[in-house]
């Protein structure tokens, strides 16, 4: 590879690994299926955290949440952190970011529900005036306040007014589920694609380009454009197994009383959706993914028109998954079930073997060193991830024996570490005497907690030891030592 390799990072928000056509034939994702057929699919990719900000910051720094400072939502990424943009700019790249960043809180301080001022939320860093190293950025977060909403007002004031009032909710809306009649070409995902296309079209190809296209969907509300919802209207949807009543009682005790500890969102109780409503949620979720897939196709066409698609590295992933009714739960939070922590991960590199699938474990922190390895740069000191290039090239079958996912809400009484190996999953809750331990080979749906099973004790102890080693190894290596004493 050469420094001229352009890099396109695509992220979605709250997208499950099994919401892709090549893994789940019920989901229509022809463009992502095509990219997967031209690249390498990691079937065992795991997020840094099951909520947005920590994972996004780990994707962008190659460092763990307890190290880069953004340990949960409501906390900002440390401005002194070196980001992927910073490293790429040292190699001559222009850096452009479009869509959801969420490196900073979207609400004002003092636990207000008021939206933060865009000028403050999206401000440049003190040290260089850039937004975490981006030469150019066009941000639209969950609440859509900012550049997208300004653009929407210019395009159609009436639609913008309705969107501001109730996000174009339809009369048959059921809570956060409806089929939006907003014109597709005015949708937030469409705008994110448009700004990405504009950045590609305006770019001088003599300089390598790094583009981060970051879609806000399929994050709830589940409100796809109506035409895309129609694609799934007649599709039979298998409901996730919500679990029996005893499964609820098997959950860690503090999750059963989350509300007492002030944790958002909600407690450990089962969701209250009817089967009909849950099927509508899942259909709409798939429709949102399909709409994103179409936007990715539009952007890829722009790379081709620019004549640089053949020298383009593509990385596709999500910040975390979505429970989507699994175990009777919705959305995200301090859970470590596969639907929430296992994420899509596709890497397509020009000139390399196509159409590979690997079961090798990979973490969010591995994206930065892998990208830098592809362009010929060594891993910078302080980056904690490892390059997975040898796995992508097929030289080795795996480089990791485990993956770690963290959830830190220590200020609200919940602090968790999850260790995932090829076969097992161990979840340890700080300050608690219980935990979770699943044998995913024998119990892929994670319904039998073996944490106190005497027959599983020996394996559990070995994994506890491995987790201790990981926690020691994953401490911050910075600052770098540069003298003897």
């Amino acid at each position: 590879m050469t420094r001229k390799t352009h890099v396109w990072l695509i992220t979605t928000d709250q997208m499950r690994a099994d919401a892709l056509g090549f893994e789940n034939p019920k989901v229509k994702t022809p463009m992502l299926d095509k990219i997967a057929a031209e690249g390498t699919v990691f079937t065992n990719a795991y997020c840094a955290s099951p909520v947005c900000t920590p994972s996004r910051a780990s994707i962008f720094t190659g460092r763990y949440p307890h190290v880069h400072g953004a340990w949960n939502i409501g906390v900002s990424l440390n401005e002194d952190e070196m980001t992927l943009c910073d490293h790429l700019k040292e190699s001559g790249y222009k850096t452009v970011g479009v869509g959801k960043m969420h490196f900073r809180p979207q609400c004002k301080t003092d636990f207000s529900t008021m939206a933060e001022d865009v000028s403050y939320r999206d401000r440049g860093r003190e040290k260089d005036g850039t937004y975490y190293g981006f030469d150019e950025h066009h941000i639209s977060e969950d609440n859509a306040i900012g550049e997208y909403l300004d653009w929407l007002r210019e395009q159609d004031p009436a639609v913008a007014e309705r969107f501001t009032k109730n996000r174009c909710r339809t009369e048959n809306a059921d809570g956060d589920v409806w089929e939006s009649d907003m014109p597709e070409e005015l949708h937030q995902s469409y705008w994110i694609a448009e700004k990405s296309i504009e950045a590609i079209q305006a770019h001088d190809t003599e300089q390598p380009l790094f583009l981060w296209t970051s879609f806000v969907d399929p994050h709830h509300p589940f409100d796809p454009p109506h035409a895309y919802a129609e694609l799934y209207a007649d599709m039979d949807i298998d409901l996730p197994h919500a679990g029996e009543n005893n499964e609820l009682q098997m959950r860690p005790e503090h999750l059963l009383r989350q509300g007492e500890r002030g944790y958002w969102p909600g407690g450990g109780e089962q969701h209250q959706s009817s089967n009909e409503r849950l099927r509508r949620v899942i259909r709409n979720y798939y429709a949102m993914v399909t709409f994103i897939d179409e936007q990715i196709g539009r952007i890829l066409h722009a790379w081709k028109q620019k004549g640089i698609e053949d020298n383009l590295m593509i990385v596709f992933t999500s910040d975390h998954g979505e429970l989507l009714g699994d175990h009777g739960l919705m959305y995200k939070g301090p859970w470590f079930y596969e639907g929430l922590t296992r994420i899509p991960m596709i890497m397509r590199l020009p000139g390399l073997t196509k159409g590979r699938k690997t079961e090798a474990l990979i973490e969010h922190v591995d994206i930065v060193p892998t990208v830098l390895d592809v362009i010929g740069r060594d891993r910078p000191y302080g980056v904690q991830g490892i390059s997975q290039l040898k796995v992508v090239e097929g030289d080795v079958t795996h480089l990791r024996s485990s993956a770690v996912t963290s959830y830190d809400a220590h200020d609200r009484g919940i602090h968790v570490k999850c260790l995932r190996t090829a076969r097992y999953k161990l979840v340890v809750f700080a300050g608690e005497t219980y935990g979770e331990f699943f044998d995913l080979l024998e119990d892929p749906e994670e319904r039998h907690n073996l944490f106190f099973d005497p027959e599983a004790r020996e394996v559990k102890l070995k994994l506890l030891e491995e987790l201790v080693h990981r926690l020691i190894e994953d401490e911050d290596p910075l600052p770098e030592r540069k003298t003897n004493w």
Side-chain angles (χ1 to χ4, degrees):
M1 298 297 165
T2 70
R3 285 185 54 209
K4 289 293 184 181
T5 300
H6 305 276
V7 180
W8 183 24
L9 172 63
I10 314 166
T11 56
T12 50
D13 191 338
Q14 216 155 300
M15 182 174 172
R16 298 165 60 104
D18 60 7
L20 288 161
F22 57 81
E23 184 164 331
N24 179 355
K26 291 195 173 184
V27 189
K28 305 176 191 298
T29 55
M31 187 50 58
L32 286 168
D33 294 352
K34 180 178 183 296
I35 293 173
E38 297 173 349
T40 299
V41 175
F42 286 83
T43 59
N44 283 324
Y46 288 88
C47 64
S49 178
V51 289
C52 298
T53 301
S55 281
R56 290 171 173 275
S58 288
I59 289 170
F60 211 52
T61 63
R63 286 157 59 79
Y64 290 103
H66 67 279
V67 170
H68 58 53
W71 46 269
N72 206 317
I73 54 175
V75 183
S76 294
L77 174 60
N78 190 327
E79 290 191 6
D80 292 329
E81 286 289 315
M82 289 286 288
T83 68
L84 179 56
C85 281
D86 294 320
H87 299 307
L88 290 174
K89 286 167 72 172
E90 290 178 354
S91 294
Y93 278 74
K94 180 176 182 179
T95 57
V96 180
V98 180
K100 180 173 180 176
M101 305 288 115
H102 207 174
F103 294 148
R104 296 193 179 111
Q106 298 182 29
C107 295
K108 292 183 179 293
T109 55
D110 298 326
F111 299 102
S112 169
T113 57
M114 293 181 59
E116 182 56 87
D117 295 335
V118 173
S119 60
Y120 184 74
R121 183 194 70 188
D122 302 344
R123 69 190 183 279
R125 298 181 298 195
E126 289 189 11
K127 65 180 180 181
D128 62 5
T130 71
Y131 184 83
Y132 291 102
F134 282 109
D135 295 319
E136 180 184 334
H137 63 276
H138 306 279
I139 297 176
S140 183
E141 305 282 9
D142 302 64
N143 56 24
I145 295 173
E147 192 173 340
Y148 163 67
L149 190 55
D150 295 340
W151 172 85
L152 184 60
R153 289 187 176 114
E154 292 176 358
Q155 300 300 309
D156 193 321
V159 171
E161 182 178 0
R162 184 180 171 193
F163 182 82
T164 303
K165 181 180 179 181
N166 64 7
R167 293 187 68 99
C168 297
R169 286 171 59 90
T170 50
E171 291 183 0
N172 65 342
D174 183 1
D176 61 358
V177 189
W178 66 91
E179 297 75 40
S180 176
D181 54 11
M182 170 182 271
E184 297 162 19
E185 66 275 11
L186 297 181
H187 195 279
Q188 189 179 36
S189 293
Y190 193 96
W191 176 84
I192 290 170
E194 280 292 287
K195 300 305 293 186
S196 298
I197 291 168
E198 289 174 9
I200 296 167
Q201 291 174 337
H203 184 64
D204 179 356
T205 56
E206 290 302 307
Q207 181 183 21
L209 173 64
F210 167 66
L211 172 64
W212 182 15
T213 300
S214 182
F215 293 99
V216 177
D217 284 343
H219 189 290
H220 59 283
F222 305 103
D223 60 341
H226 193 273
Y228 291 81
E230 282 295 309
L231 296 174
Y232 294 90
D234 298 324
M235 180 173 288
D236 183 37
I237 298 294
D238 297 325
L239 289 175
H241 183 72
E244 308 300 332
N245 291 332
N246 63 347
E247 183 175 338
L248 175 64
Q249 298 306 318
M250 286 175 60
R251 291 180 186 159
E253 294 175 15
H254 65 285
L255 298 184
L256 294 175
R257 55 179 196 272
Q258 284 183 59
E260 298 174 12
R261 300 189 177 196
Y263 176 72
W264 178 90
E269 69 277 0
Q270 304 286 111
H271 69 73
Q272 300 303 309
S273 291
S274 65
N275 287 346
E276 181 181 358
R277 183 181 190 275
L278 188 54
R279 286 191 176 95
R280 186 181 180 189
V281 166
I282 295 171
R283 288 189 182 102
N284 283 10
Y285 183 83
Y286 291 167
M288 295 162 80
V289 171
T290 297
F291 187 55
I292 289 171
D293 184 81
E294 185 170 297
Q295 306 316 307
I296 290 172
R298 294 177 55 228
I299 303 168
L300 185 59
H301 182 66
W303 287 106
K304 290 180 179 179
Q305 284 189 316
K306 198 69 176 180
I308 53 179
E309 189 262 344
D310 289 339
N311 198 27
L312 175 66
M313 176 184 185
I314 302 175
V315 179
F316 174 80
T317 192
S318 182
D319 54 359
H320 52 78
E322 154 71 54
L323 287 161
L324 208 62
D326 288 352
H327 301 269
L329 299 166
M330 294 293 295
Y331 311 135
K332 54 192 172 184
W335 312 97
F336 297 87
Y337 298 122
E338 291 287 278
L340 180 56
T341 59
R342 191 170 73 91
I343 50 172
M345 184 74 72
I346 307 170
M347 292 188 178
R348 197 213 76 169
L349 277 63
L352 291 185
T353 303
K354 299 179 179 181
R356 296 186 63 249
K357 280 190 177 182
T358 174
E359 295 180 352
L361 290 161
I362 185 172
E363 300 181 10
H364 272 150
V365 294
D366 297 339
I367 292 175
V368 168
T370 303
V371 169
L372 296 181
D373 198 2
V374 167
I375 69 168
R377 284 201 57 181
D378 294 333
R379 180 178 68 172
Y381 189 86
V383 169
Q384 296 175 291
I386 60 174
S387 170
Q388 295 273 357
L389 182 56
K390 290 185 181 299
V391 174
V392 176
E393 292 176 329
D395 293 340
V396 297
T397 58
H398 66 279
L399 292 166
R400 288 190 176 278
S401 61
S402 64
V404 172
T405 299
S406 304
Y407 183 87
D408 182 355
H410 59 268
D411 58 335
R412 295 172 179 177
I414 302 175
H415 200 172
V416 197
K417 297 285 186 182
C418 172
L419 182 80
R420 174 69 158 90
T421 67
R423 177 169 179 173
Y424 299 103
K425 178 178 291 182
L426 175 69
V427 183
V428 178
F429 301 87
E432 309 291 355
T433 59
Y434 45 77
E436 293 176 309
F437 180 44
F438 299 105
D439 181 345
L440 295 172
L441 179 63
E442 300 294 333
D443 179 29
E445 293 188 343
E446 302 169 278
R447 305 209 175 278
H448 306 289
N449 185 3
L450 303 176
F451 196 82
F452 291 112
D453 187 329
E455 294 185 5
R457 185 174 184 273
E458 183 177 351
V459 177
K460 185 186 75 172
L461 289 176
K462 288 181 179 179
L463 291 176
L464 280 168
E465 182 179 1
E466 183 170 352
L467 178 58
V468 169
H469 285 292
R470 281 297 308 263
L471 296 180
I472 295 171
E473 294 166 354
D474 294 345
E475 285 299 308
D476 192 354
L478 292 175
E480 183 177 3
R481 178 163 54 186
K482 296 184 177 180
T483 182
N484 288 328
W485 65 80

